Amino acid sequence: MNSTRRNVGLLAACQALLLTNSATLIAINGLAGLALAPAQALATLPVTCWVVGGALATMPASLHMKRVGRQRGLSMGTLWGIVGALICAAAVWQQSFWLLCFGTLVFGVYNAYGQYYRFAAADVAGPDFKSTAISLVLAGGLVGGILGPTASRFTVDLLAPRFTGAYLALIGFALLTMLLLRFVRIPTPDAKVRAARGRPLREIAAQPKFIVAVLSGAIGYGVMNFLMTSTPIAMGVCGHPYSDAAFVISSHVIGMFAPSFVTGGLIKRAGVLPVMFAGAILNFAAIGIALSGISVAQFWWSLVLLGVGWNFLYIGGTTLLTETYRPEEMAKAQGTNEQAIFIVMAISSFTSGLTVTQAGWERVNLYALPLVALAAIAIGWFALVQRRARAAA
């Protein structure tokens, strides 16, 4: 157990550094894109490219780690973050919007590898500690939620042109992540597991539990990203200064990860489906507050509740997913889940820029409502199916 907790602690620290970089990118990418884009509607394209980079890399990253092991694969993944940050800094220096998009695309590969920290925690934890281990690793994002936007405030104007220093600062966090990963001990699957193929993906994906897990995670992430990505732009249009937008994003990221200290315990006590359903309800509440006005307080409450709702859906969906595959099927099942999440995120980040600049903040929130309803219906349906199955047993 001491070894498990040590590994989980190190993975949580890596998650913190990953989210420091992610929160910084969230805070500055839309604004840098707005400053460089040939048209306002393309402002969030750098964010979209970051997500697309993750979508393209997530399945290859999963298969790569199956072949070389989690530790080595995750360490190699940080190199993509270093290269991507250098390209982004060069793009701002040259005032090139399209080079910025390419840089965020490369950086997205690092994010694809980093999304597997929570699955690495599940690898080192026993069945009774699995949901807590996943939750505690994601809790590391709390540090990123504070450190990322805070660091961006000090580095955004550190070098000219604006945003250059903020992008270069990402390299230091990636290097520290690489150092921490050297001390993580994750069991490498034996040759038999690495060579085994398991069931076809279509058979794994046909399970109702798998469908609900992937759907909830993808919608939870997609809705969160759709609203979060457009928030700095919407607040700027409403006349709020960058410092207020950075504060709201920082609070949102804290809302995403602070509940992780208790989410695993809630799942153990109440069950995974009730926690996931509560996440959908919190998403509804966040949208309702966003539709009620455009003060800083309303942006803050909406984004904080959105973050907590994401936490319940994401951790719940991850926990549910780990119950759907065998060890030899892990790479393709996890890769499929992550790919679905990244694809939805790519669509949501790009359309959020178009929607907020062309139709406004209110329309952004209205478009999110049907997706949240779909997740709530799917979770409720599966809970009913399970209840009937238990009653018939």
Side-chain angles (χ1 to χ4, degrees):
M1 179 57 75
N2 288 336
S3 175
T4 297
R5 292 186 180 278
R6 175 179 172 275
N7 283 322
V8 169
L10 287 168
L11 289 167
C14 293
Q15 180 77 19
L17 293 167
L18 175 74
L19 266 295
T20 298
N21 281 347
S22 296
T24 301
L25 285 173
I26 290 163
I28 66 175
N29 265 353
L31 297 174
L34 189 63
L36 298 177
Q40 279 192 342
L42 297 175
T44 58
L45 185 59
V47 181
T48 304
C49 289
W50 172 52
V51 179
V52 169
L56 294 174
T58 187
M59 181 62 81
S62 187
L63 296 174
H64 177 224
M65 286 184 282
K66 181 181 180 181
R67 188 173 66 255
V68 303
R70 290 279 195 203
Q71 183 182 36
R72 186 179 175 190
L74 291 171
S75 297
M76 293 174 68
T78 59
L79 294 173
W80 290 93
I82 295 169
V83 174
L86 285 171
I87 295 173
C88 288
V92 176
W93 182 267
Q94 296 180 16
Q95 295 290 284
S96 171
F97 176 74
W98 299 110
L99 186 60
L100 178 64
C101 291
F102 177 67
T104 56
L105 183 79
V106 173
F107 201 95
V109 180
Y110 166 46
N111 197 45
Y113 276 89
Q115 294 301 313
Y116 289 96
Y117 291 141
R118 71 192 197 279
F119 288 118
D123 292 346
V124 301
D128 293 337
F129 191 60
K130 185 179 294 185
S131 63
T132 302
I134 294 169
S135 187
L136 288 175
V137 166
L138 287 177
L142 177 61
V143 176
I146 299 171
L147 186 58
T150 302
S152 73
R153 290 195 194 105
F154 292 103
T155 58
V156 70
D157 292 311
L158 185 62
L159 297 173
R162 197 180 195 213
F163 304 113
T164 304
Y167 282 117
L168 290 175
L170 303 179
I171 297 172
F173 297 123
L175 288 171
L176 184 54
T177 302
M178 188 181 296
L179 176 64
L180 290 175
L181 284 169
R182 293 179 63 87
F183 299 98
V184 179
R185 297 293 177 264
I186 305 171
T188 300
D190 58 36
K192 183 178 179 180
V193 171
R194 291 199 302 270
R197 301 181 63 87
R199 293 170 294 173
L201 180 58
R202 62 180 179 274
E203 184 177 338
I204 301 170
Q207 300 171 92
K209 184 180 289 188
F210 184 91
I211 294 170
V212 172
V214 174
L215 186 68
S216 298
I219 288 178
Y221 229 128
V223 168
M224 183 275 295
N225 195 57
F226 187 60
L227 299 179
M228 175 189 63
T229 301
S230 58
T231 294
I233 297 173
M235 291 186 70
V237 170
C238 293
H240 303 302
Y242 173 76
S243 58
D244 283 343
F247 171 65
V248 168
I249 293 298
S250 178
S251 299
H252 165 69
V253 178
I254 292 170
M256 288 172 66
F257 297 104
S260 298
F261 291 106
V262 299
T263 305
L266 287 175
I267 290 173
K268 289 177 68 175
R269 287 195 296 271
V272 65
L273 294 177
V275 171
M276 292 168 67
F277 192 77
I281 297 300
L282 287 169
N283 271 259
F284 281 125
I287 292 170
I289 292 172
L291 291 171
S292 69
I294 55 172
S295 69
V296 173
Q298 286 161 317
F299 277 108
W300 188 89
W301 276 108
S302 175
L303 268 290
V304 168
L305 290 180
L306 181 71
V308 179
W310 170 87
N311 181 278
F312 287 179
L313 283 168
Y314 192 55
I315 293 178
T318 300
T319 302
L320 198 64
L321 184 78
T322 61
E323 302 171 3
T324 66
Y325 52 79
R326 301 165 187 164
E328 65 271 18
E329 300 163 350
M330 178 173 63
K332 57 187 173 185
Q334 292 176 359
T336 299
N337 179 72
E338 299 305 287
Q339 199 160 45
I341 289 173
F342 274 114
I343 289 171
V344 173
M345 284 178 64
I347 295 170
S348 65
S349 60
F350 182 67
T351 55
S352 70
L354 292 173
T355 306
V356 74
T357 56
Q358 302 297 319
W361 175 240
E362 180 180 356
R363 194 64 61 87
V364 170
N365 286 274
L366 288 174
Y367 285 169
L369 278 173
L371 293 173
V372 178
L374 177 60
I377 291 169
I379 295 165
W381 166 78
F382 186 61
L384 183 61
V385 168
Q386 285 200 321
R387 184 180 301 174
R388 287 177 176 172
R390 285 194 299 267

